[in-house]
């Protein structure tokens, strides 16, 4: 991983960049003052006087202040005379287009918020949102924020069971969905999936259904209401709920190391402070920029950098519904050329997919408007970084590889585009005001070398906990090293102090930037009566970073077949979501175990990666693993041939 190249910032970019080199020293000298200054940029109903109150592991930021997140995203800009600015250029997969101004977005938010209030939804209630990438999604999110309800967005790829689990964990009172959505030319019947989920969700009183595909859907009397009917007679103004700085803004589920996802909770003021500061400084956002973060709002990147960050800064964003290869593989580049996108924020898995598709697709379009290119979700390999720089950025754009997590709320490690001399493949330095370190297994700081990534001081946008489970919060993040937040990633720090992220240190896979616990997939597999045991591991994949690989042993020592593998894949897709179905399934009479019965995952990882097997002396039966390794070897050989 030695990468000697460094790319200095473009002098023009440096000259007008919001972040100038003194920012690091200034923030380090007084981080609280640094953050307080950014918090003061928000619109406060009641200004705060306290900055941070830290009762490890619980932080409260700006706690005596009061504000409303939707006012910060919308009303503020209208009050400043910018109501006619475009908030979103919506681009439907099928080519339908619509631009939405800040004033229009506010009206839509207000009408839905009024409708939700009429249904009796109130501050502190949890509201699930399961929508495709249409404007109704930010509208629903901001309508919740307007009335102080806590939104819990569920990614549109999740299955009915996964929706029900998430709804039940936090006791959501309402679900906002759509008849369906478009993806790669197909119709996804979202409402039908919700109907299945809602059979097992006693807390849900209302289901609000937006229209996108206009296909007929089942509407249950007394529970389901069309979005259009709900807002039909609602005024387009709505008094915002005045919220305490620390009131919860949203819940977002992410995979931990167990089969039960964690409901990560974020509060209002600190989160908005973090996302607006990072959006402005890391993307060097200026008023004349056209910004496009390609993430789905179902993930944290969409929350922070499609909705709250850019809207708080009054940005104009592109908002695209569909997939990058519909109708052709140049769709994104066509969109960038049409809207003159200047800031693009996407994921390494997308970049590697485009590399595979070939340079001719971007080459056909005028990408000269681009000036900043962002990456997030997984380590970006130097080769993909260089391709991004050259083929998309024409050697001219700054690249910002941004490391962060659902839990951190906002970007934590990243170049600042006017300052940093960027080495391809490194997220470089902690954002100003943050105290991030690499430590060895004793918790001792490693100034140069490999270790665990930790955060030593609370930061405004940090998670406030796990919904309903403070013990798990403490145990997951704050127990391994005293007074340190454990990110769960390995990292290397080089002689210049640059951070190189090395992937997860736990049993969590990263597939196309999606976090998936091995245990989640395992427990779905063993739901099938024929499966005796399953062990899942990630296998390095040239496009998706990791691919899901499952080892399955069947009851009664039965033999597997490709039909059964297909059925198991379909079962996982149905029980969790399509994107969580294993790419590879390998049947084996036994899983490699220690004499005490513990599955040796380390060896399974060696097998899938084709590495020489590590220490096998503690195995109960060494034949199992040699046989598996041979078969994996044969499969690789036949794949290659
Ligand atoms: C995990 C967090 C944060 C938005 C998307 C994912 C990995 C994220 C990078 C990066 C290397 C990265 C880490 C992290 N990750 N960004 N730039 N370089 N790894 O959010 O689902 O909460 O996943 O994604 O492993 O822990 P998430």
């Amino acid at each position: 991983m030695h990468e000697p190249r460094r790319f200095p910032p473009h002098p023009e970019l440096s000259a007008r960049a919001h972040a100038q080199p003194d920012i690091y020293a200034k923030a380090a000298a007084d981080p609280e003052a640094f953050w307080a200054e950014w918090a003061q940029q928000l619109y406060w109903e009641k200004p705060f006087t306290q900055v941070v109150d830290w009762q490890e592991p619980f932080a409260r930021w700006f706690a005596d202040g009061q504000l409303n997140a939707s006012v910060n995203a919308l009303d503020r800009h209208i009050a400043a005379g910018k109501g006619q600015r475009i908030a979103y250029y919506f681009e439907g997969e099928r080519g339908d287009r619509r631009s939405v101004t800040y004033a229009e977005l506010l009206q839509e938010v207000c009408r839905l918020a009024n409708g939700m209030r009429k249904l009796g939804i109130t501050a502190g209630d949890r509201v699930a949102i399961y929508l495709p990438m249409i404007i109704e999604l930010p509208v629903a999110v901001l309508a919740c924020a307007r009335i102080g309800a806590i939104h819990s967005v569920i990614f549109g790829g999740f299955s009915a069971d996964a929706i029900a689990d998430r709804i039940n964990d936090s006791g959501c009172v309402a679900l906002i969905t759509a008849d369906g959505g478009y993806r790669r030319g197909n119709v996804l019947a979202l409402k039908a999936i919700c109907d299945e989920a809602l059979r097992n969700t006693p807390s849900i009183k209302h289901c609000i259904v937006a229209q996108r595909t206009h296909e007929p859907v089942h509407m249950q009397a007394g529970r389901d209401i069309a979005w259009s009917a709900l807002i039909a007679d609602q005024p387009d103004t709505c008094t915002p709920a005045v919220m305490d700085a620390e009131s919860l803004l949203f819940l977002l589920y992410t995979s931990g190391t167990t089969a039960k996802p964690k409901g990560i909770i974020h509060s209002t003021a600190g989160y908005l402070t973090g996302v607006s500061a990072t959006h402005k400084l890391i993307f060097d956002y200026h008023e004349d920029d056209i910004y496009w973060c390609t993430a789905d709002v179902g993930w944290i990147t969409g929350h922070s950098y499609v909705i709250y960050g850019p809207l708080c800064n009054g940005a104009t964003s592109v908002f695209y519904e569909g997939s990058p290869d519909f109708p052709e593989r140049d769709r994104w580049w066509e969109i960038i050329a049409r809207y003159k996108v200047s800031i693009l924020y996407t994921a390494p898995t997308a970049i590697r997919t485009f590399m595979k598709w070939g340079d001719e697709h971007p080459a056909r379009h005028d990408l000269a408007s681009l000036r900043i290119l962002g990456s997030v979700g997984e380590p970006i390999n130097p080769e993909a970084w260089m391709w991004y720089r050259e083929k998309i950025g024409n050697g001219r754009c700054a690249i910002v590889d941004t490391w962060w997590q659902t839990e951190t709320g906002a970007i934590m490690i990243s170049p600042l585009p006017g300052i940093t001399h960027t080495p391809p493949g490194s997220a470089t330095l902690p954002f100003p005001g943050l105290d991030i370190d690499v430590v060895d297994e004793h918790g001792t700081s490693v100034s140069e070398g490999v270790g665990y990534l930790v955060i030593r001081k609370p930061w405004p946008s940090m998670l406030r906990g796990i919904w309903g489970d403070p013990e798990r919060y403490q145990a997951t993040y704050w127990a391994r090293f005293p007074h340190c937040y454990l990110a769960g990633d390995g990292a290397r720090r080089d002689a210049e102090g640059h951070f190189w992220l090395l992937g997860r240190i736990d049993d969590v896979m990263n597939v196309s930037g999606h976090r998936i616990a091995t245990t989640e997939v395992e427990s779905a597999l063993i739901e099938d009566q024929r499966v005796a045991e399953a062990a899942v591991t990630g296998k390095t994949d040239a496009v998706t970073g990791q691919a899901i690989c499952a080892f399955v042993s069947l009851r009664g020592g039965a033999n597997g077949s490709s039909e059964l593998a297909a059925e198991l894949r379909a079962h996982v897709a149905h029980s969790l979501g399509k994107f969580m179905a294993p790419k590879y399934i390998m049947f084996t009479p036994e899983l490699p175990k220690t004499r005490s019965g513990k599955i040796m995952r380390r060896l399974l990882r060696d097998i899938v990666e084709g590495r020489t097997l590590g220490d096998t002396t503690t195995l109960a039966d060494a034949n199992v693993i040699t046989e598996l390794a041979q078969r994996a070897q044969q499969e690789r050989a036949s794949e290659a041939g």
Side-chain angles (χ1 to χ4, degrees):
M1 256 253 219
H2 187 64
E3 176 51 78
R5 286 170 292 193
R6 296 286 178 278
F7 293 95
H10 201 286
E12 235 173 77
L13 200 162
S14 298
R16 75 157 194 168
H18 291 301
Q20 293 295 327
D22 63 340
I23 192 171
Y24 286 107
K26 252 182 86 184
D30 192 347
E32 290 185 20
F34 172 81
W35 289 120
E37 218 173 282
W38 278 99
Q40 269 146 12
Q41 310 279 315
L42 298 171
Y43 176 81
W44 293 86
E45 305 285 346
K46 176 176 172 253
F48 63 92
T49 64
Q50 310 156 359
V51 180
V52 59
D53 166 26
W54 179 227
Q55 310 284 333
E56 187 185 318
F58 298 99
R60 292 162 57 78
W61 284 85
F62 320 117
D64 63 342
Q66 291 183 318
L67 76 177
N68 179 284
S70 77
V71 169
N72 276 281
L74 302 170
D75 307 57
R76 202 158 47 118
H77 310 307
I78 294 150
K82 296 179 183 166
Q84 294 319 305
R85 262 181 82 80
I86 306 285
Y88 292 117
Y89 284 115
F90 172 77
E91 168 104 2
E93 193 181 74
R94 305 186 163 197
D96 48 318
R97 291 179 199 132
R98 175 184 167 201
S99 35
V100 186
T101 64
Y102 274 89
E104 288 164 346
L105 193 57
L106 176 61
Q107 289 177 351
E108 291 202 28
V109 166
C110 288
R111 294 176 77 188
L112 182 65
N114 288 327
M116 290 169 70
R117 269 193 183 141
K118 199 175 89 182
L119 293 177
I121 301 168
T122 179
D125 283 346
R126 277 79 59 208
V127 174
I129 300 176
Y130 184 69
L131 281 169
M133 279 289 285
I134 54 178
I135 293 298
E136 284 79 355
L137 180 41
V139 171
V141 162
L142 293 167
C144 288
R146 190 126 194 121
I147 63 174
I150 301 167
H151 55 78
S152 173
V153 179
I154 302 169
F155 171 60
F158 279 114
S159 69
D161 289 350
I163 298 169
D165 288 348
R166 284 160 178 73
I167 286 175
N168 291 335
D169 184 64
S170 70
C172 294
V173 299
L175 167 63
I176 305 178
T177 188
D179 47 7
Y182 297 120
R183 188 78 197 177
R184 197 160 280 143
N186 300 318
V187 171
L188 299 175
L190 297 180
K191 177 59 165 61
I193 297 172
C194 289
D195 289 336
E196 196 187 327
L198 293 182
R199 278 191 262 151
N200 303 307
T201 53
S203 59
I204 292 282
K205 297 195 192 86
H206 309 283
C207 178
I208 301 167
V209 186
Q211 269 191 321
R212 174 63 181 149
T213 62
H214 298 267
E215 307 235 317
V217 293
H218 164 76
M219 295 292 279
Q220 183 172 309
R223 184 195 69 189
D224 299 352
I225 178 162
W227 177 306
S228 54
L230 181 67
I231 67 165
D233 48 4
Q234 292 303 329
D236 57 15
T237 58
C238 170
T239 310
V242 175
M243 304 302 291
D244 288 338
E246 277 299 327
S247 56
L248 295 190
L249 181 59
F250 67 88
L251 268 156
L252 187 61
Y253 286 84
T254 189
S255 294
T257 51
T258 70
K260 188 181 182 316
K262 304 176 277 197
I264 302 298
I265 50 182
H266 280 287
S267 65
T268 306
Y271 174 76
L272 294 182
T273 301
V275 297
S276 53
T278 51
H279 176 262
K280 188 150 185 183
L281 297 177
I282 292 169
F283 301 110
D284 191 38
Y285 170 73
H286 285 74
E287 255 193 332
D288 54 358
D289 277 308
I290 303 291
Y291 167 85
W292 184 18
C293 168
T294 66
D296 193 293
V297 171
W299 308 110
I300 190 70
T301 309
H303 284 61
S304 302
Y305 298 105
V306 174
I307 299 186
Y308 288 110
L311 292 182
C312 284
N313 289 331
T316 295
S317 294
V318 168
F319 191 105
Y320 174 51
E321 173 185 37
S323 68
D325 55 350
F326 192 87
E328 300 294 340
R329 290 177 165 182
D330 63 348
R331 184 68 186 268
W332 280 22
W333 320 121
E334 188 205 332
I335 291 175
I336 288 171
R338 174 171 320 108
Y339 298 103
K340 303 207 174 354
V341 171
S342 54
I343 304 169
L344 176 68
Y345 190 27
T346 192
T349 184
I351 297 165
R352 291 191 295 260
T353 303
F354 295 129
M355 283 174 77
K356 200 174 77 176
W357 286 349
D359 302 355
E360 65 273 22
H361 303 292
R364 269 206 297 279
H365 297 275
D366 178 7
L367 306 181
S369 54
L370 289 170
R371 54 182 209 96
I372 307 238
L373 302 174
S375 172
V376 62
E378 51 180 310
I380 177 165
N381 46 312
E383 195 196 352
W385 197 101
M386 287 305 299
W387 186 89
Y388 199 25
R389 180 180 157 86
E390 277 162 14
K391 305 298 174 191
I392 306 305
N394 196 19
R396 198 190 61 245
C397 299
I399 302 221
V400 288
D401 171 17
T402 62
W403 178 90
W404 58 297
Q405 312 176 293
T406 304
E407 292 87 339
T408 68
I411 299 169
M412 302 299 279
I413 305 179
S414 168
L416 288 173
I419 304 176
T420 316
H421 291 232
T422 42
S426 169
T428 70
L429 295 173
F431 187 77
L434 300 176
D435 188 351
I436 305 186
D437 202 358
V438 177
V439 299
D440 66 16
E441 61 225 53
H442 310 292
T444 310
S445 184
V446 178
S447 56
E448 201 186 324
V450 170
Y452 302 87
L453 190 72
V454 298
I455 307 173
R456 292 191 178 275
K457 280 208 183 79
W459 64 101
S461 64
M462 67 189 279
L463 74 166
R464 296 304 192 257
I466 297 174
W467 181 268
D469 203 344
E471 291 81 23
R472 189 175 181 192
Y473 169 59
Q474 155 76 37
T476 307
Y477 304 106
W478 299 96
R480 181 76 168 81
F481 301 112
H483 315 303
C484 285
Y485 168 87
L486 179 75
D489 280 47
R492 182 171 70 85
R493 183 159 40 196
D494 69 17
E496 289 168 79
H498 287 155
F499 288 71
W500 299 75
L501 280 305
L502 302 173
R504 301 288 308 182
I505 53 166
D506 49 17
D507 287 324
V508 173
M509 299 171 288
N510 187 328
V511 181
S512 299
H514 304 325
R515 230 158 111 173
I516 300 170
T518 54
T519 43
E520 279 177 283
V521 182
E522 286 164 3
S523 53
L525 284 166
I526 59 174
E527 280 164 14
D528 189 296
Q529 292 305 306
R530 292 164 292 187
V531 173
E533 275 189 308
V536 165
T537 181
K539 169 178 163 47
T540 306
D541 186 281
V543 173
T544 58
Q546 284 189 305
I548 304 175
C549 184
F551 293 86
V552 172
S553 70
L554 298 173
R555 282 179 199 251
N559 290 323
S561 64
S562 51
E563 290 75 26
L564 181 54
E567 282 176 43
L568 292 177
R569 260 185 218 110
H571 173 73
V572 177
H574 186 259
S575 121
L576 297 171
K578 226 179 186 166
F579 67 102
M580 295 175 80
K583 180 168 178 186
Y584 306 98
I585 294 184
M586 202 156 171
F587 293 103
T588 170
E590 297 278 355
L591 293 171
K593 287 187 191 155
T594 61
R595 282 173 205 98
S596 60
K598 208 168 162 284
I599 296 172
M600 292 193 67
R601 291 169 187 284
R602 177 174 57 75
L603 292 178
L604 293 175
R605 284 195 291 268
D606 288 343
I607 288 177
V608 299
E609 303 295 11
R611 290 190 294 243
T612 321
L613 295 180
D615 185 6
T616 56
T617 50
T618 52
L619 273 178
D621 177 359
N623 292 328
V624 172
I625 199 87
T626 15
E627 203 247 343
L628 268 177
Q630 277 164 5
R631 272 176 41 215
Q633 176 74 47
Q634 282 159 11
E635 278 175 35
R636 266 193 302 277
S638 69
E639 246 177 57

